[in-house]
Amino acid sequence: MARVKVTREQKEAEVAGLVEDLKNSASVVVVDYLGLNVAEVTELRKELREAGVQMRVVKNTMLRRAADEAGIEGLDEVFTGPTAIAYHADDAVAAAKILVDSAKDLEALEVKGGLLEGTAVSIDQIVTLSKLPSREGLLSMLLSVLQAPMRNTASVLQQANPALRLAYALNAVAETK
């Protein structure tokens, strides 16, 4: 089988695409996938795709160039061996959560490091990130916190109503008799 010659323009376009992905992603997780069989990779990609996470297998030289052009430092040591990156434009937790959980089940999958909003992070930080709630979960928690003062105020105002207090008192007397 003949090797396909990649032109300089194609390489530059690939690097430019990687620069955009690195700059515009909430997080990027770098993994080593060597040893995964086709079925495992297919299942992993399916799970990532369902969460809106993109996954690309990339050459380390292209990834190094893209990181340099994007102004990202501290990832050179993770760009060794077979490398794939997983990223999401908005959700910083999604890729980390899926890949860290999958790495527990798939011995061949190894998380090597990553980026969080353009800053290099370690494996431990990726694991910590994977334990956070999803974006939707965090928004739900924020909404709950914002609603609490209004709910408490309504409850206090309701308790301050004299007619309501009289109804509670009459109900208490009726229950004792």
Side-chain angles (χ1 to χ4, degrees), residues 27-173:
S27 70
V28 177
V29 180
V30 181
V31 295
D32 181 346
Y33 61 91
L34 185 66
L36 293 179
N37 62 38
V38 174
E40 291 169 336
V41 171
T42 303
E43 184 61 32
L44 180 62
R45 283 183 178 268
K46 179 183 174 210
E47 192 175 345
L48 289 166
R49 191 173 30 256
E50 288 172 356
V53 177
Q54 303 277 337
M55 183 175 176
R56 292 173 66 173
V57 174
V58 290
K59 286 184 145 191
N60 291 320
T61 54
M62 298 228 185
L63 206 46
R64 278 190 195 95
R65 279 193 189 130
D68 287 343
E69 286 184 27
I72 298 167
E73 297 177 0
L75 284 180
D76 286 341
E77 66 274 1
V78 300
F79 297 150
T80 58
T83 302
I85 60 171
Y87 52 92
H88 194 288
D90 301 321
D91 193 347
V93 177
K97 187 177 289 291
I98 292 169
L99 290 170
V100 168
D101 288 345
S102 296
K104 292 175 188 172
D105 299 331
L106 304 171
E107 291 179 16
L109 184 66
E110 177 191 354
V111 176
K112 299 194 293 186
L115 294 172
L116 182 59
E117 296 185 357
T119 304
V121 292
S122 69
I123 298 168
D124 294 335
Q125 291 169 314
I126 294 289
V127 170
T128 302
L129 182 64
S130 74
K131 294 176 183 174
L132 292 176
S134 67
R135 183 175 188 269
E136 290 78 22
L138 290 171
L139 289 173
S140 173
M141 288 178 190
L142 176 63
L143 184 60
S144 177
V145 167
L146 292 175
Q147 285 179 336
M150 291 181 280
R151 190 173 39 246
N152 293 343
T153 302
S155 176
V156 167
L157 290 174
Q158 195 175 34
Q159 295 298 326
N161 185 345
L164 190 59
R165 280 189 286 163
L166 177 62
Y168 282 139
L170 291 174
N171 187 35
V173 170

